[in-house]
Amino acid sequence: MYDERAVYLVTDILKDGVARRPAFGANFRFPFQCAVKTGTTKDYRDNWTVGYTTRYTVGVWVGNFDGEQMRGVSGVSGAGPIFTDIMTFLHTPPYGQPPEDFPVPPGLVQRPVCARSGKIPGPACRKTIMEWFMEGKAPVSVCDVHREFIVRGPDGRERRETFEVFPDEYRPWAASERIPVPPPGARRASSAAPGSERIDRLSIVSPSGGEYFKIDPVLRREYQKITIAGFVPRGLSGVVLRINGREDIPFGPSGVEWCLQKGMFRFQLQGRKGDAVVTSAPVVINVE
Ligand SMILES: [Zn+2]
């Protein structure tokens, strides 16, 4: 017996190009969902890459049959390119078809979180990512790392600036990373300040607006999707994503996966609270 959800989480990490990048660099980029893991013996004697899609499992081993050491070849540079070629061949016409996406088992939910704190994104957060959680385990508190301060500039004028304020146990790390701290005399922006109440409001948290996306002419269109993620406060019902003021798509807790199309798009969330219609601030993106 195995925990289907645990397997899925591993799959999600292994198929997640962003999560893989620190270890694998730009290797293993597929226009479809594919989980990948590599292995290298300590002395570079041999290496392997195994992976799977919903259609195929592929394992590649590279080494000398007499067990002699290879020179500086890891699972990424040795078996990796062969694995990539085979997987691509198996899922590309005329030989094969792209695989289906990995099914999401019941009991998992996807939620937008602040990339730094892993909590619910607040108005000062810089980057939002979508993360998987077991139902009931998603974060319930708003990011307290990103905080707005009022600072006095060299010209003597006051302005608002966001700083990252970490819990005590991370302070030495933050200092070693040279993460800026609020200058002396800076004070917390008041919670009644404009914008700070936004976290309670219906809002689109990703994309943040003003982005340009480019359609890849080679990649199949169904793989060129972005996730429109948002914050939906309690008590709102019938929330939809409204595109360019007309097309409405039902908006669930994990957002909406939207296929890129050329043009300028204005996204807005709209829901109902009792008899009142509640609308989020619009977010505009460009797709070329
Ligand atoms: Zn944050």
Side-chain angles (χ1 to χ4, degrees):
M1 289 295 288
Y2 63 90
D3 184 343
E4 183 178 56
R5 288 169 304 193
V7 171
Y8 184 75
L9 287 175
V10 171
T11 296
D12 195 59
I13 290 163
L14 297 180
K15 78 169 167 59
D16 182 342
V18 177
R20 286 197 308 236
R21 203 171 299 144
F24 295 160
N27 295 286
F28 307 122
R29 292 178 66 167
F30 298 99
F32 47 80
Q33 291 192 354
C34 177
V36 189
K37 185 74 187 83
T38 61
T40 309
T41 44
K42 270 206 176 62
D43 52 1
Y44 292 109
R45 203 163 294 282
D46 54 6
N47 63 74
W48 48 261
T49 298
V50 293
Y52 54 92
T53 67
T54 47
R55 282 175 191 260
Y56 291 99
T57 297
V58 172
V60 176
W61 175 88
V62 169
N64 294 311
F65 289 125
D66 61 4
E68 199 188 313
Q69 200 167 332
M70 298 190 297
R71 282 185 290 267
V73 182
S74 74
V76 174
S77 60
I82 302 169
F83 175 90
T84 301
D85 284 354
I86 294 171
M87 270 300 185
T88 305
F89 171 77
L90 288 174
H91 296 96
T92 307
Y95 183 83
Q97 292 297 323
E100 305 289 313
D101 287 354
F102 292 113
V104 178
L108 290 183
V109 292
Q110 208 175 16
R111 294 278 185 273
V113 295
C114 167
R116 195 65 124 169
S117 66
K119 295 182 173 182
I120 296 170
C125 291
R126 291 168 190 166
K127 193 176 174 221
T128 299
I129 55 170
M130 294 300 285
E131 196 55 274
W132 288 103
F133 297 95
M134 286 168 69
E135 243 164 50
K137 299 280 184 186
V140 290
S141 53
V142 174
C143 173
D144 52 358
V145 166
H146 293 105
R147 300 182 192 178
E148 268 201 323
F149 286 82
I150 311 277
V151 298
R152 196 175 288 280
D155 57 359
R157 303 258 283 273
E158 288 196 328
R159 59 194 161 77
R160 305 172 81 90
E161 207 174 311
T162 299
F163 289 92
E164 293 181 313
V165 180
F166 292 92
D168 286 344
E169 60 264 42
Y170 297 114
R171 297 255 164 102
W173 166 81
S176 72
E177 291 288 309
R178 297 201 166 81
I179 292 170
V181 294
R187 62 180 201 273
R188 280 293 293 280
S190 125
S191 59
S196 62
E197 74 279 21
R198 232 179 64 195
I199 46 170
D200 304 328
R201 284 196 194 164
L202 184 64
S203 54
I204 293 176
V205 293
S206 179
S208 48
E211 290 98 330
Y212 280 83
F213 294 90
K214 235 177 154 51
I215 292 178
D216 186 322
V218 180
L219 203 59
R220 289 163 64 117
R221 271 306 169 86
E222 59 261 44
Y223 295 128
Q224 305 195 44
K225 287 180 191 165
I226 58 169
T227 302
I228 318 286
F231 179 73
V232 178
R234 260 177 246 266
L236 277 191
S237 61
V239 178
V240 292
L241 174 69
R242 175 158 286 191
I243 304 173
N244 291 346
R246 32 173 208 278
E247 193 189 344
D248 286 348
I249 302 174
F251 191 85
S254 34
V256 165
E257 292 235 301
W258 182 73
C259 255
L260 292 178
Q261 311 163 38
K262 276 194 179 149
M264 184 189 270
F265 295 90
R266 189 171 186 271
F267 298 116
Q268 219 165 356
L269 294 179
Q270 192 174 298
R272 301 192 72 85
K273 189 167 197 173
D275 288 338
V277 173
V278 180
T279 308
S280 75
V283 163
V284 178
I285 64 162
N286 286 280
V287 185
E288 287 169 0

